Structures are given as C-alpha cells and as structure tokens.
Amino acid sequence: MPEKKSKPIVYALIGAGAVLLGGVAAYLYSDGYIGASDTPIESAKVVPNQALMAGTISTDPRNWAQLQQFGTPEVQKLVDKGLKDFQKDAFADSKINYDKDVRPWLGSVMFAMLPSSGAKATQEPDVLVVVGIKNKFSMLGFGNKFKNDKTKGATKETDYKGVKIYENTDNGKKTYAAILKNHLVMASEIKNVQQAIDTFKGQPSLASKADASAMFSKGVDVKNPIAQFYVPDYGAFVDKLVANNAGGAGVSPQALKQMKAVKSMVAGVGIDEAGVRFKAVTKIDPAAMKLEYKPSPGKVIGQLPASAIATINGQGISRFWSVIVEEGKNDPQIKQAIEGARQQVKTVNLDLDKDILGWMDGEFAIAAIPSNEGILKASGFGGALVFETSDRATAEATLTKLDAIAKGNSMTVSQRDVGGKKVTEWVIPQQGAFMGHGWLDQNTVFVAIGGPIADAIATKPSPLDSSESFKAVTGTLPQTNAGYFYLDMDKTMSVINSQLPPEQKSAITPETSAVINSIRGLAIAVTQPDKSTSGMEMLLALKPKTAK
C-alpha cells in the first residue's frame, strides 16, 4: 500500500480538526452564532501570552487570485493547480468539497508557536492553530458531513472548565480541538488547547502583551495580504531558537546580545500589481545600534552599465568596519576573524585597515556583468566594484602597490585609454586582461574583473538606473534607503543557460522553466524611519499576464 504524502502541520491539524466538528454540531446550532470580527487581534486573544510567534494565512480567494494577473498560460495553469491542491491537501481522503463545505464558514487561519515543556523543552515548539468561524450555520453542515464519515478515526469528548475538548485518533495520531465562541482552536497536544481555553476565560493572551495590540491591529502595509507574521518578544524567540540549537553551541554571548537588540518584528506578504511583496518592520533598542544609519544617495548606481545582472550598493564601508573592530574588543570570535583577515592582507605588505578599508568612506556598488570574452568565457560574467572616496591619495597609493604585486606574479601591467579614461590593466600572458582599474571622476574609482567589464564601466553607454528593468523592479521600493540588492532574472538565466551542459538543461522541467520565465527580477531595500525602527522590503517582480 503506497505511503501517504506528509502534509504541513497547519493543514494536517485543520483536516483532523474537521473530524472533530461532527461532535459539536449541537453546540453550533444551539449557540446560533453567525460569526463576528475575524481579525488577527481577535484570534490573538485566545493565544496564550507565552507564544513565541504567530502567523496568519489569508483564506480570502480574492487575495490569492491576484497571482492570475501574472505569467504565461503555462504559469496560469500551475497557479490554478497550486490553489486547488492547497485546498485539497487539508481534507485529503474525505468527501469534503472546499468551495461548498469549507469556504462559507472558514475565516482567517492563525498558527502560534508555543514553547514546549518538560522532556520536550529543547525540541521544536508546539503549534496551536486558531481558525476564525465566519458562519456557524455553514459550519454545522460541515460538521454533520464529517460526523457521518466513519473512516476518520475514533472521537471522544472531555470537559475542561466547562468547555468541551474533542479528541480524535487517526492512524495513531491524536488531535484536540475546542470551540471558543467564534474560533476553533486545534493542537496535537491537549495542554495547548487547555491553555487556549484558560486564555479565552481571562488569562493573559498574546494580544495583551505590551505593544502587541498595535502590532496585530496594524500589521504591515501590503496590498492583498496572503500571510502575516508576528514576533512580539524577539528576545524570548531568540532564547528558544538558541536552546533548540544544542544549547546555543557556536553562539557567543555578544552575538546573542546583538540579536536581542531587536525587541519585536512584524512581517507580511502581499500580491500587488508589481508582483509578490514582502515587508518586515522591526523595533530595535536605539542604544544597541552602533552604526549610525545614513541613507545611500544611490548615485553610484548610475556608474554601472544597464547590462548588469545583479548589484548591491550602499555606503560607508569604513564606518561599518570600525563598528566591527569595536565589537571585536568584546567578542573573541569576531576578534579572531578580524586578526585573521589582517594577517592575510599583511602577507602582501598591505594594511587592511588603512590601505584598503579606510578610504572606502563614500558610496559603493558591487555588480555582476555578463561577458563571454577573454578569461570570462568560462564563467559568462565578470565583476565590478565602484567606490566613492574622500581620500583619493590613499586609494591611488593602494592601487599602485597592487600593481606592483601583479607585476611580481608574471602579469603585464599597462595603461590604455577607454572612452577618455585611463584604465590600468593586469594582463595574464596568453589569456588576456584579468583585472582593470581607473577613475571615473575625481572621487570615484572602479575595479573590474575581466577586460570587457572595464570597458563597460569606463564607457557606460547606458547607465543601470535608466534601464526599464531596473526601474520596474526597484521603482516601487522606498527611494530613501540604505541601498538596493537587485537581480535581473532574464539576464541571470541567460548566463546560466549559456554555461549549463546539455544534460543539466534537459533536467529542468517545463514547469520550472515556466515559473522562472515569469519572474522579472528581485529587489530588496532596507530603511530606518527612526532610531527605534528598521524596515526591509523585498519585491519578487513578476511579468504581466500574456495570452497564448
């Protein structure tokens, strides 16, 4: 007999909980309650306050249907199949029809992670599922349908403080459920359902935690939300993760202290006209922030060519390094890493702090740029680094020292004119230019891996920030930010496909190709609206729907 596919725990609990509903039909009928407010804050009121985190999954088909505005017909079929599978998996091996039997009463679904106890204290947290009930009369019919299904295992009732707990055993696995007014709570451990009942009857809830009410009420601002995640006490969350990781092996006290500088976090995923968007907002301890936030002007992006595959930009590498060095004074692991890096650079007679990182005090950008010429033929792309500096003299002195090192390693070092700019190149005999560097203006220097990349940076026929792809992928992200990560999916896949052997290309399924080809790009931006708030926004930009 073939083994059944395993299901995510949330779906498994919902499916098993549905069996228990057959025993609550009379309650639903006598209560006569149509349903009430179905919001995250209402669900959080029945979650015990010791919960480490909570998340909500939207069951509104209109939100998920937003995916249908993207992709090719092949992708549309995959999306449609995915939504149907999503609905079927929770009620596998039953006669339940999601649209007819479940959708009319099913509200939002919240899952909460509760700390395990006793012998399980260092294992994975327990999961409590809270399902909003929009219409109990519709749920009555659903429960009766399961009541008449004799294949769903044995069910029994127990009483806990005047509330019935329904226990179902199916294939040796137990599931417990209870109705708390307009919410169905479920768990694989009875103590978690009992704690939810205690919370419902007045014990402190997750919603009652300091600042949690605003967190659950506001969430994050995304259109058509499909999921939200809440961590009201990030310190407790970190403690549990560390405890689960063999007692925190490998995590230094200083690193733990830095992680606990985050007080809380809320995140959300939504689908809008640009694609799938993820936002996260964290509340932080301002006193723990050693690096002063300064928005990156983004001018350096204009120094990169539009052909760039992927980029990351920001500013103040020297400031960041100073903070790391300061942290290393109190953290042996960081100090060891710093000293190791310094010694590596010292072997070529350079000072990491002064000769390399010290002058990188302005904006910077790192980019991957496609090329099949010269030494780049084997990889299909090269790299470029662009730095703004207020200390040109030190930067030039460092580059001169590096040129001397290249000469001492059998490379030819020479200058050539590229678009009116002097480019110094390192040439490997019989292979071509390995690296080039030069100045784009008085304060901006570049280093390029591969001769063609030096040409692309120096001539820059079309800058990246004017390309349609870059604007489409990053245009809806916050413009005041610490920098972007940007990836162009079409250019990336073009390079990958040019390098993949035929046997690996043939292993890519048509479904995988359809999904990849529907993605325009990926972009991430980090912001800090104030000293106690940090934000991150990520967009998976999708291509508009196309006809056959």
Side-chain angles (χ1 to χ4, degrees):
M1 185 174 179
E3 186 179 350
K4 292 181 181 179
K5 289 195 299 183
S6 61
K7 296 179 286 186
I9 188 168
V10 173
Y11 303 144
L13 285 172
I14 293 174
V19 180
L20 306 174
L21 299 181
V24 301
Y27 167 82
L28 296 177
Y29 182 77
S30 62
D31 186 62
Y33 194 76
I34 297 298
S37 178
D38 182 28
T39 62
I41 187 67
E42 292 300 320
S43 295
K45 288 178 180 178
V46 299
V47 175
N49 73 330
Q50 65 265 37
L52 301 171
M53 71 158 289
T56 58
I57 300 172
S58 172
T59 58
D60 188 338
R62 294 170 299 181
N63 292 352
W64 291 95
Q66 297 301 314
L67 286 171
Q68 295 173 353
Q69 64 183 301
F70 303 108
T72 61
E74 291 79 11
V75 172
Q76 292 298 308
K77 291 179 182 177
L78 289 174
V79 170
D80 186 57
K81 182 179 183 298
L83 292 174
K84 289 179 179 178
D85 288 346
F86 174 88
Q87 296 165 2
K88 282 170 50 181
D89 283 348
F91 305 102
D93 305 319
S94 75
K95 299 177 181 179
I96 290 297
N97 179 289
Y98 179 85
D99 286 322
K100 294 180 180 179
D101 302 319
V102 180
R103 181 174 287 172
W105 66 265
L106 183 67
S108 64
V109 176
M110 173 175 281
F111 61 91
M113 291 172 55
L114 300 175
S116 52
S117 58
K120 292 179 60 182
T122 59
Q123 297 179 7
E124 293 297 319
D126 294 335
V127 176
L128 175 72
V129 177
V130 181
V131 181
I133 303 171
K134 292 191 299 185
N135 189 311
K136 286 188 177 178
F137 290 124
S138 297
M139 193 182 182
L140 172 63
F142 176 63
N144 283 331
K145 196 164 187 176
F146 261 96
K147 183 179 180 180
N148 296 324
D149 189 341
K150 304 302 182 183
T151 68
K152 308 316 295 181
T155 301
K156 68 177 184 179
E157 298 178 11
T158 58
D159 183 90
Y160 181 77
K161 297 183 178 180
V163 177
K164 289 183 179 180
I165 296 178
Y166 301 89
E167 175 188 325
N168 174 258
T169 303
D170 189 10
N171 292 323
K173 294 182 179 180
K174 293 181 181 295
T175 303
Y176 303 88
I179 299 291
L180 303 178
K181 203 62 176 176
N182 60 314
H183 288 97
L184 166 68
V185 295
M186 296 175 288
S188 57
E189 299 283 342
I190 191 170
K191 65 179 178 63
N192 295 324
V193 174
Q194 291 171 341
Q195 288 174 352
I197 294 171
D198 291 338
T199 304
F200 176 71
K201 288 181 172 291
Q203 290 297 311
S205 70
L206 190 61
S208 66
K209 280 192 171 183
D211 301 323
S213 179
M215 175 186 291
F216 283 106
S217 298
K218 186 177 180 181
V220 291
D221 182 23
V222 290
K223 291 183 179 179
N224 306 305
I226 56 175
Q228 298 262 358
F229 306 94
Y230 312 87
V231 185
D233 187 345
Y234 198 82
F237 181 69
V238 169
D239 282 339
K240 185 61 181 178
L241 292 180
V242 171
N244 286 346
N245 182 29
V251 181
S252 69
Q254 290 78 13
L256 189 60
K257 182 179 178 181
Q258 284 294 325
M259 287 190 282
K260 288 189 175 183
V262 177
K263 294 182 176 180
S264 65
M265 183 193 76
V266 59
V269 183
I271 306 168
D272 56 37
E273 61 279 356
V276 179
R277 193 176 303 273
F278 173 86
K279 287 185 181 181
V281 177
T282 58
K283 290 295 181 180
I284 52 181
D285 179 3
M289 299 303 293
K290 306 298 182 183
L291 183 64
E292 182 184 359
Y293 171 79
K294 290 185 178 180
S296 179
K299 294 180 181 178
V300 72
I301 297 174
Q303 304 283 14
L304 300 173
S307 59
I309 301 170
T311 66
I312 184 170
N313 73 287
Q315 74 165 358
I317 291 177
S318 61
R319 289 190 302 116
F320 181 67
W321 177 249
S322 296
V323 171
I324 293 177
V325 171
E326 190 65 27
E327 290 294 318
K329 294 178 180 179
N330 301 311
D331 191 323
Q333 291 181 340
I334 295 177
K335 184 176 182 179
Q336 183 179 8
I338 291 172
E339 291 304 320
R342 284 171 171 165
Q343 289 302 316
Q344 285 292 324
V345 173
K346 197 173 183 179
T347 60
V348 292
N349 200 31
L350 288 172
D351 186 304
L352 179 63
D353 299 71
K354 296 178 181 178
D355 295 332
I356 298 180
L357 299 175
W359 54 266
M360 298 178 181
D361 56 358
E363 280 197 85
F364 72 89
I366 303 170
I369 301 170
S371 176
N372 289 308
E373 299 178 25
I375 65 169
L376 302 179
K377 187 174 182 180
S379 62
F381 71 96
L385 300 91
V386 181
F387 304 99
E388 287 186 347
T389 179
S390 62
D391 188 0
R392 177 165 177 159
T394 301
E396 286 184 330
T398 298
L399 291 172
T400 299
K401 290 179 182 179
L402 292 172
D403 290 342
I405 294 170
K407 288 179 182 178
N409 285 273
S410 304
M411 293 188 197
T412 301
V413 178
S414 60
Q415 279 194 344
R416 65 187 179 96
D417 184 278
V418 180
K421 296 178 177 64
K422 291 182 179 179
V423 176
T424 300
E425 284 190 328
W426 301 357
V427 179
I428 301 175
Q430 300 180 342
Q431 293 187 44
F434 167 67
M435 194 187 85
H437 61 80
W439 290 86
L440 298 173
D441 55 42
Q442 181 62 29
N443 302 313
T444 309
V445 65
F446 75 89
V447 177
I449 307 300
I453 307 304
D455 291 351
I457 295 291
T459 56
K460 194 185 57 184
S462 178
L464 178 60
D465 56 3
S466 68
S467 78
E468 290 303 316
S469 178
F470 182 84
K471 289 189 289 187
V473 176
T474 65
T476 58
L477 295 181
Q479 299 301 295
T480 301
N481 56 61
Y484 290 113
F485 168 79
Y486 161 76
L487 181 140
D488 185 303
M489 185 59 76
D490 284 341
K491 293 186 178 73
T492 299
M493 292 311 301
S494 177
V495 170
I496 291 174
N497 288 331
S498 69
Q499 301 299 313
L500 278 180
E503 61 272 16
Q504 292 186 21
K505 284 184 182 180
S506 61
I508 300 175
T509 65
E511 292 81 8
T512 301
S513 294
V515 171
I516 291 174
N517 291 333
S518 71
I519 300 172
R520 189 164 194 173
L522 175 70
I524 301 173
V526 176
T527 62
Q528 189 175 337
D530 56 61
K531 290 185 178 181
S532 63
T533 307
S534 178
M536 189 273 279
E537 186 167 333
M538 178 175 71
L539 173 67
L540 182 66
L542 302 177
K543 297 175 184 176
K545 182 178 180 179
T546 59
K548 286 187 176 180

